[in-house]
Amino acid sequence: QVQLAESGGGSVQTGGSLRLSCEVSKASGYAEDLYCMGWFRQAPGREREGVASLGNDGGTRYADSVKGRFTISQDNAKNTLYLQINSLTPGDTAMYYCAFKPGFCGTFSPGRYTHWGQGTQVTVSS
């Protein structure tokens, strides 16, 4: 019903920036009055963690580790979700995923998100 496709990842040096994109496709007739879009990341050997979320009510939330460096936004005309990531450090190296869930955003609980993209890799070198 909802398909997500990330792009924009790459290899950058410390201090660099990237803008990740997530194209959102919804099946004809699929509608949710309230939903949440999120960005998660997962580094090798670590659990998947939420970094940012955006509700269709406009509310945003960020993980403490990325506040002031990451910005989540969306372009409804293009059906695309973005994550601008600045001041990158090697600690940001991970596979980044966008995800969708019906309802309020709430906490960053991956299990509550119902649809996921395939991910885009971000690698930061020192």
Side-chain angles (χ1 to χ4, degrees):
Q1 291 179 316
V2 178
Q3 293 183 318
L4 307 172
E6 303 93 334
S7 62
S11 297
V12 297
Q13 293 186 329
T14 297
S17 298
L18 287 171
R19 188 175 78 158
L20 308 183
S21 299
C22 174
E23 184 175 346
V24 183
S25 301
K26 297 179 183 178
S28 176
Y30 182 88
E32 285 288 346
D33 290 336
L34 188 65
Y35 62 85
C36 177
M37 298 295 303
W39 283 99
F40 291 76
R41 66 185 181 185
Q42 187 168 19
R46 301 187 65 178
E47 293 186 353
R48 189 168 296 189
E49 63 171 349
V51 296
S53 64
L54 173 64
N56 67 328
D57 60 353
T60 59
R61 179 173 182 163
Y62 296 93
D64 289 342
S65 60
V66 307
K67 282 181 180 177
R69 300 190 299 123
F70 289 18
T71 303
I72 188 171
S73 63
Q74 63 183 5
D75 185 331
N76 290 326
K78 296 182 178 180
N79 293 319
T80 302
L81 179 75
Y82 300 102
L83 185 69
Q84 178 69 41
I85 49 179
N86 300 324
S87 303
L88 283 160
T89 72
D92 296 313
T93 295
M95 185 72 80
Y96 283 71
Y97 300 90
C98 69
F100 169 96
K101 67 179 289 292
F104 290 101
C105 285
T107 61
F108 289 123
S109 299
R112 295 183 179 273
Y113 284 74
T114 57
H115 297 79
W116 293 83
Q118 293 299 308
T120 186
Q121 177 68 38
V122 172
T123 302
V124 185
S125 58
S126 58

